[in-house]
Amino acid sequence: MVYLTRVEHFNAAHRLHNPDWSAEQNDAVFGKCANANWHGHNFELFVTIKGQPDPQTGFIFDAKKLSAIVRERIVDKVDHRNLNLDVPFMQGKLCSIENFVIAIWKELEPALPAQVSLHCLKLIETPRIYVEYYGE
Amino acid sequence: MVYLTRVEHFNAAHRLHNPDWSAEQNDAVFGKCANANWHGHNFELFVTIKGQPDPQTGFIFDAKKLSAIVRERIVDKVDHRNLNLDVPFMQGKLCSIENFVIAIWKELEPALPAQVSLHCLKLIETPRIYVEYYGE
Amino acid sequence: MVYLTRVEHFNAAHRLHNPDWSAEQNDAVFGKCANANWHGHNFELFVTIKGQPDPQTGFIFDAKKLSAIVRERIVDKVDHRNLNLDVPFMQGKLCSIENFVIAIWKELEPALPAQVSLHCLKLIETPRIYVEYYGE
Amino acid sequence: MVYLTRVEHFNAAHRLHNPDWSAEQNDAVFGKCANANWHGHNFELFVTIKGQPDPQTGFIFDAKKLSAIVRERIVDKVDHRNLNLDVPFMQGKLCSIENFVIAIWKELEPALPAQVSLHCLKLIETPRIYVEYYGE
Amino acid sequence: MVYLTRVEHFNAAHRLHNPDWSAEQNDAVFGKCANANWHGHNFELFVTIKGQPDPQTGFIFDAKKLSAIVRERIVDKVDHRNLNLDVPFMQGKLCSIENFVIAIWKELEPALPAQVSLHCLKLIETPRIYVEYYGE
Amino acid sequence: MVYLTRVEHFNAAHRLHNPDWSAEQNDAVFGKCANANWHGHNFELFVTIKGQPDPQTGFIFDAKKLSAIVRERIVDKVDHRNLNLDVPFMQGKLCSIENFVIAIWKELEPALPAQVSLHCLKLIETPRIYVEYYGE
């Protein structure tokens, strides 16, 4: 079993905001991340799949095809967008990176071919903060 | 003459938008950077000053004090903000990184002490795009 | 279960030295790392916690609060210090990064709130050497 | 149990090529990676071992000795070489990074001392593609 | 005057070889860089242009268009290629990074639009070696 | 004229301390950098030379030979040392990075061969602080 990771980049705006709370409560909990006019990040998404190398190609899966799937399913929907307003799969969700990485998993996992399985998503939000998710 | 660089980090939302143009014209020129709901970045700001080392301290200027000035004058005004809507010194300007780095220079240069001069600002917008400005 | 990592930076002096050995034996085993006048490093500490996102905040734990705990419990005690001489929780221990990361775990783990658990500490000593510890 | 990682660098030429296929079939599957005149990479190899810190040294294993083993067994055989033509342990294998990392494991694992075990190899091929292998 | 830098990535095989010398002489001067079966690198090319921001766009030049020019003129001709054998603009030249960066300048400079000028090319060959060229 | 940069790594202990001042004055000016028991850093030294490519080699100067000179003249004298106590060329100097980079220039410049000249030294002390020196 070999693990293959492909890294993709996108940038987006978002804010942390609980619609059930007052503005004061949002500010108290989320601080400047609750800014009504949004803020944003350069995100790096690490997609790790696992599988057996194919004897004909040496690949567990072609990294270029993996990139194409991640771009079609995720990057094209979030790059240069507002995660709270523009991204269908984040509607109705609190836009933390924890919830975002789980939502990305749900979008991406069904799109992968049968010979590999999605092992881990790592999502870097700032040079000092990132999350990882293993699907459960 | 020694050059000292201090790096500061912030993240912000912005969009590229010329108010004299139609939405179609903005889209044609700026593409997804014109997204009406904003996008954002992790910015890295490199502030380079030059001067002679002080015989008493070995410093051209204390890097901690330089950091405090950059934070007070720049980072506190732009971090987790919308550059188009929330930042007084960007009002009425097209929010490109070229215009942004020039505007930062104008805010920062008068705040530096007489014994050093501001040499260069480098502003990284994405891992593949940055600008530099030398004040003229 | 989502894993959240916060990265903190500090720099410190240390040396590798076994007090039960002669200077020659220390030199033979530890080489230039045994230098009597110390050497030092910029350390990067990656603190990874795991937990369930809170439905009210989307957080498994606020990364800013995690940073504050790591700074209070660890960074403030080791930054710009001599690990052998100045750090209470390293007293009587051979100051390798293996022993250091275990000692950091013991200081940090009890300070975390009940809703999360400490998953991994990663401590980078040089661009080419790092350790990881999972608590057992 | 502590995990210690040492990073080594090398650069090499290679190509992806299945000798059972026509040139057209190789081009169709491997694209520009099949270029008959080769291409190349700067590789970063992360070698992670695990073990208990020795009470006398604080080390699970001396990182300098680990580096020496990796250089002798791997780096000296692949650095500034053609992986397809010059490397004995890649002969007869399709030269993907998946097959390469498995072959490195087989070369390196028997050379490690009994007090540690090889935990993981991570091999970075480009800034956006890497593989990991845990020995099974 | 603002300086804008766009970074592009490619990887390629090459060797250092002076055809006027014997194999022994090539080995003596170039060492393992003369390997007859080639070696290779991941290259990073930093293209820095300078100009005045356009009042209508805030750009000195659209970074996406700059990227397209660099890809068409340079990256498409060198990526996954053998610099000695496959690249027309390196024919008959000793394939050092010094000669390579000068040759890239000659290919790229005429392709830039009149409103900007090419300021600097920086070409990273390994994490520890790079060259810069300013056109004269 | 081409500029060639070679990067070297070392780590060392130091402190900021003016012997003409009281401990209180040193603390007031240098803060935790004055810690009597030292602190330390991983330093990265970027050595940039300039010259014309030699028609026989394509080199302005062999990067391996440049590395050997920098290691012999600088790295071997400072790596795993105490800059204040162990380094002859820092004796009697306030150990700031400004003074350190000037002292490195004086050691290194006379050791370079006539066909190149030393253009710039860049010394990174932390991920957020570095100095550059051009010899005057």
Side-chain angles (χ1 to χ4, degrees):
Chain A
M1 193 71 76
V2 179
Y3 297 77
L4 171 72
T5 299
R6 171 77 199 187
V7 187
E8 299 290 341
H9 179 87
F10 58 91
N11 52 70
H14 80 143
R15 67 184 290 214
L16 299 178
H17 177 77
N18 184 331
D20 299 337
W21 291 350
S22 66
E24 289 71 24
Q25 209 172 347
N26 273 288
D27 284 348
V29 172
F30 296 124
K32 57 190 177 180
C33 298
N35 178 31
N37 287 330
W38 322 97
H39 65 282
H41 299 286
N42 299 327
F43 292 92
E44 297 277 343
L45 177 64
F46 291 63
V47 177
T48 302
I49 60 175
K50 63 180 173 184
Q52 303 282 351
D54 180 311
Q56 297 293 306
T57 62
F59 290 161
I60 65 165
F61 186 58
D62 186 335
K64 279 198 199 68
K65 289 182 183 167
L66 176 58
S67 175
I69 293 170
V70 179
R71 288 179 187 223
E72 184 200 339
R73 292 290 172 129
I74 307 297
V75 175
D76 290 351
K77 293 173 182 163
V78 297
D79 187 36
H80 283 80
R81 303 291 172 90
N82 184 306
L83 302 179
N84 302 62
L85 301 180
D86 297 333
V87 177
F89 64 80
M90 288 302 288
Q91 293 313 298
K93 291 177 186 149
L94 220 152
C95 195
S96 68
I97 45 171
E98 288 93 331
N99 285 345
F100 189 28
V101 79
I102 294 172
I104 292 172
W105 183 285
K106 286 179 185 159
E107 293 296 303
L108 192 56
E109 200 279 337
L112 292 174
Q115 79 259 36
V116 296
S117 58
L118 185 56
H119 173 65
C120 182
L121 294 178
K122 178 179 171 181
L123 180 64
I124 300 183
E125 188 185 47
T126 77
R128 303 235 161 250
I129 298 175
Y130 63 81
V131 289
E132 290 160 300
Y133 184 59
Y134 295 83
E136 56 185 26
Chain B
M1 193 71 77
V2 179
Y3 298 76
L4 171 71
T5 299
R6 172 77 199 188
V7 188
E8 299 291 339
H9 178 87
F10 59 90
N11 52 70
H14 81 144
R15 66 184 291 214
L16 298 178
H17 178 75
N18 183 332
D20 298 337
W21 291 350
S22 66
E24 290 71 25
Q25 209 173 347
N26 273 287
D27 283 349
V29 173
F30 296 123
K32 57 189 177 179
C33 298
N35 179 29
N37 287 329
W38 321 98
H39 65 283
H41 299 285
N42 299 328
F43 291 92
E44 296 276 345
L45 177 65
F46 291 63
V47 178
T48 302
I49 59 175
K50 62 180 173 185
Q52 302 283 351
D54 179 311
Q56 297 292 307
T57 61
F59 290 161
I60 65 164
F61 186 57
D62 185 337
K64 280 199 198 69
K65 289 182 184 167
L66 177 58
S67 174
I69 293 170
V70 178
R71 288 179 188 225
E72 185 201 339
R73 292 289 173 129
I74 308 297
V75 176
D76 289 352
K77 294 172 182 162
V78 297
D79 187 35
H80 283 77
R81 303 291 172 90
N82 184 307
L83 301 180
N84 302 61
L85 300 180
D86 296 335
V87 177
F89 64 80
M90 288 302 290
Q91 293 313 298
K93 291 177 184 148
L94 221 154
C95 196
S96 68
I97 45 169
E98 288 93 330
N99 285 344
F100 189 27
V101 78
I102 293 172
I104 292 173
W105 183 286
K106 286 180 183 158
E107 292 296 302
L108 192 56
E109 199 279 338
L112 293 174
Q115 79 260 34
V116 296
S117 57
L118 185 55
H119 173 66
C120 181
L121 294 178
K122 177 178 172 181
L123 181 64
I124 300 183
E125 189 184 48
T126 78
R128 302 236 162 249
I129 298 175
Y130 62 83
V131 288
E132 290 159 301
Y133 184 58
Y134 295 83
E136 58 185 27
Chain C
M1 194 70 77
V2 180
Y3 298 76
L4 171 72
T5 298
R6 172 78 200 187
V7 187
E8 299 290 340
H9 178 87
F10 59 91
N11 53 71
H14 80 145
R15 67 183 289 215
L16 298 177
H17 177 77
N18 183 331
D20 298 337
W21 291 350
S22 66
E24 290 71 23
Q25 208 171 349
N26 273 289
D27 283 349
V29 173
F30 296 123
K32 57 188 178 181
C33 298
N35 178 30
N37 287 329
W38 322 97
H39 65 281
H41 299 285
N42 300 328
F43 292 93
E44 297 276 345
L45 177 64
F46 291 62
V47 177
T48 302
I49 59 176
K50 63 181 172 185
Q52 303 283 350
D54 180 311
Q56 297 292 306
T57 62
F59 289 162
I60 66 165
F61 186 58
D62 185 337
K64 281 198 198 69
K65 289 182 184 168
L66 176 58
S67 174
I69 292 170
V70 179
R71 289 179 186 223
E72 184 201 337
R73 292 289 173 130
I74 306 297
V75 176
D76 289 351
K77 293 174 182 162
V78 298
D79 187 36
H80 284 78
R81 303 290 173 91
N82 184 306
L83 301 179
N84 301 62
L85 300 180
D86 297 334
V87 177
F89 64 79
M90 288 303 290
Q91 292 312 299
K93 291 177 184 149
L94 221 151
C95 196
S96 68
I97 44 169
E98 287 94 331
N99 285 344
F100 189 28
V101 78
I102 294 172
I104 292 172
W105 183 286
K106 286 179 184 159
E107 291 296 303
L108 192 56
E109 199 278 339
L112 292 174
Q115 78 260 34
V116 296
S117 57
L118 185 55
H119 173 66
C120 182
L121 294 178
K122 178 179 173 180
L123 181 65
I124 300 182
E125 189 185 48
T126 77
R128 303 236 160 251
I129 298 175
Y130 62 83
V131 288
E132 290 159 300
Y133 184 58
Y134 294 84
E136 57 184 26
Chain D
M1 194 69 77
V2 179
Y3 298 77
L4 172 72
T5 298
R6 172 77 199 187
V7 187
E8 298 291 342
H9 179 88
F10 58 91
N11 52 70
H14 81 144
R15 67 184 289 216
L16 298 178
H17 177 77
N18 183 331
D20 299 336
W21 291 350
S22 65
E24 290 71 24
Q25 209 171 349
N26 274 288
D27 283 349
V29 172
F30 296 124
K32 56 190 179 180
C33 299
N35 179 28
N37 287 330
W38 321 97
H39 65 283
H41 299 285
N42 299 327
F43 291 93
E44 297 276 345
L45 177 63
F46 291 63
V47 178
T48 302
I49 59 176
K50 62 181 173 186
Q52 302 283 350
D54 180 310
Q56 297 292 306
T57 61
F59 290 161
I60 66 165
F61 186 57
D62 185 336
K64 281 200 197 67
K65 290 182 183 167
L66 176 57
S67 174
I69 293 170
V70 179
R71 288 179 188 224
E72 184 201 339
R73 293 289 173 129
I74 307 296
V75 176
D76 290 352
K77 294 173 182 161
V78 297
D79 188 35
H80 283 79
R81 304 290 174 91
N82 184 307
L83 301 180
N84 301 63
L85 301 180
D86 297 334
V87 178
F89 63 80
M90 288 303 290
Q91 292 313 298
K93 290 177 186 148
L94 220 151
C95 196
S96 68
I97 46 170
E98 287 94 332
N99 285 344
F100 189 27
V101 77
I102 293 171
I104 292 173
W105 183 286
K106 286 178 184 159
E107 292 297 303
L108 191 56
E109 200 279 338
L112 292 174
Q115 78 261 35
V116 295
S117 58
L118 185 55
H119 172 66
C120 182
L121 294 178
K122 178 179 171 180
L123 181 65
I124 300 183
E125 189 184 46
T126 77
R128 303 235 159 251
I129 298 175
Y130 62 82
V131 288
E132 291 159 300
Y133 184 59
Y134 294 84
E136 58 185 25
Chain E
M1 193 70 76
V2 179
Y3 298 76
L4 171 72
T5 299
R6 172 77 198 186
V7 188
E8 299 290 340
H9 178 87
F10 59 92
N11 52 71
H14 81 144
R15 66 182 293 215
L16 298 178
H17 177 76
N18 183 332
D20 298 337
W21 292 349
S22 66
E24 291 71 23
Q25 208 172 349
N26 273 288
D27 283 350
V29 172
F30 296 124
K32 56 189 177 180
C33 298
N35 179 29
N37 287 330
W38 321 95
H39 66 281
H41 299 285
N42 299 327
F43 292 92
E44 296 276 346
L45 177 64
F46 291 62
V47 177
T48 302
I49 59 175
K50 62 180 172 185
Q52 303 282 351
D54 180 312
Q56 297 292 305
T57 62
F59 289 162
I60 66 165
F61 186 58
D62 185 337
K64 280 198 199 69
K65 290 182 183 166
L66 177 58
S67 174
I69 293 170
V70 178
R71 288 179 188 224
E72 184 201 339
R73 292 289 173 129
I74 306 298
V75 176
D76 289 352
K77 294 174 182 161
V78 297
D79 187 36
H80 283 79
R81 303 290 173 90
N82 184 307
L83 301 180
N84 302 62
L85 301 180
D86 296 334
V87 177
F89 64 80
M90 288 303 290
Q91 292 314 298
K93 292 178 185 148
L94 221 151
C95 195
S96 67
I97 44 169
E98 287 93 331
N99 286 343
F100 189 28
V101 78
I102 294 171
I104 292 172
W105 182 286
K106 285 179 185 158
E107 292 296 304
L108 191 56
E109 200 278 338
L112 293 175
Q115 77 260 36
V116 296
S117 57
L118 185 54
H119 173 67
C120 181
L121 294 178
K122 178 178 172 181
L123 181 64
I124 300 183
E125 188 184 48
T126 77
R128 303 233 160 251
I129 298 176
Y130 62 83
V131 288
E132 290 158 300
Y133 183 58
Y134 294 84
E136 56 186 25
Chain F
M1 194 70 77
V2 179
Y3 297 77
L4 171 71
T5 298
R6 172 76 197 187
V7 187
E8 300 290 341
H9 178 87
F10 59 91
N11 52 70
H14 81 145
R15 66 184 291 216
L16 298 178
H17 178 76
N18 183 331
D20 299 336
W21 291 350
S22 65
E24 290 72 23
Q25 210 172 348
N26 274 287
D27 283 350
V29 172
F30 297 123
K32 56 190 178 180
C33 298
N35 179 29
N37 287 329
W38 322 96
H39 65 282
H41 299 285
N42 299 327
F43 291 93
E44 297 277 344
L45 178 63
F46 291 63
V47 178
T48 303
I49 60 176
K50 62 180 173 186
Q52 302 283 351
D54 180 311
Q56 296 293 306
T57 61
F59 289 162
I60 65 164
F61 186 58
D62 186 336
K64 280 199 198 67
K65 290 182 184 167
L66 177 58
S67 175
I69 293 171
V70 178
R71 288 179 187 224
E72 185 201 338
R73 293 288 173 129
I74 306 296
V75 175
D76 289 352
K77 294 173 183 162
V78 298
D79 187 35
H80 283 80
R81 303 292 172 90
N82 184 308
L83 302 180
N84 301 62
L85 300 180
D86 297 334
V87 177
F89 64 80
M90 287 303 290
Q91 293 313 299
K93 291 177 184 148
L94 221 151
C95 195
S96 68
I97 44 169
E98 287 94 330
N99 285 343
F100 189 28
V101 78
I102 293 172
I104 292 172
W105 183 285
K106 286 179 185 159
E107 292 297 303
L108 191 56
E109 200 279 338
L112 293 174
Q115 78 261 35
V116 295
S117 58
L118 185 55
H119 173 66
C120 182
L121 294 177
K122 178 178 171 181
L123 180 64
I124 300 183
E125 188 183 47
T126 77
R128 303 233 162 253
I129 297 176
Y130 62 82
V131 288
E132 290 158 300
Y133 184 59
Y134 294 83
E136 56 185 28

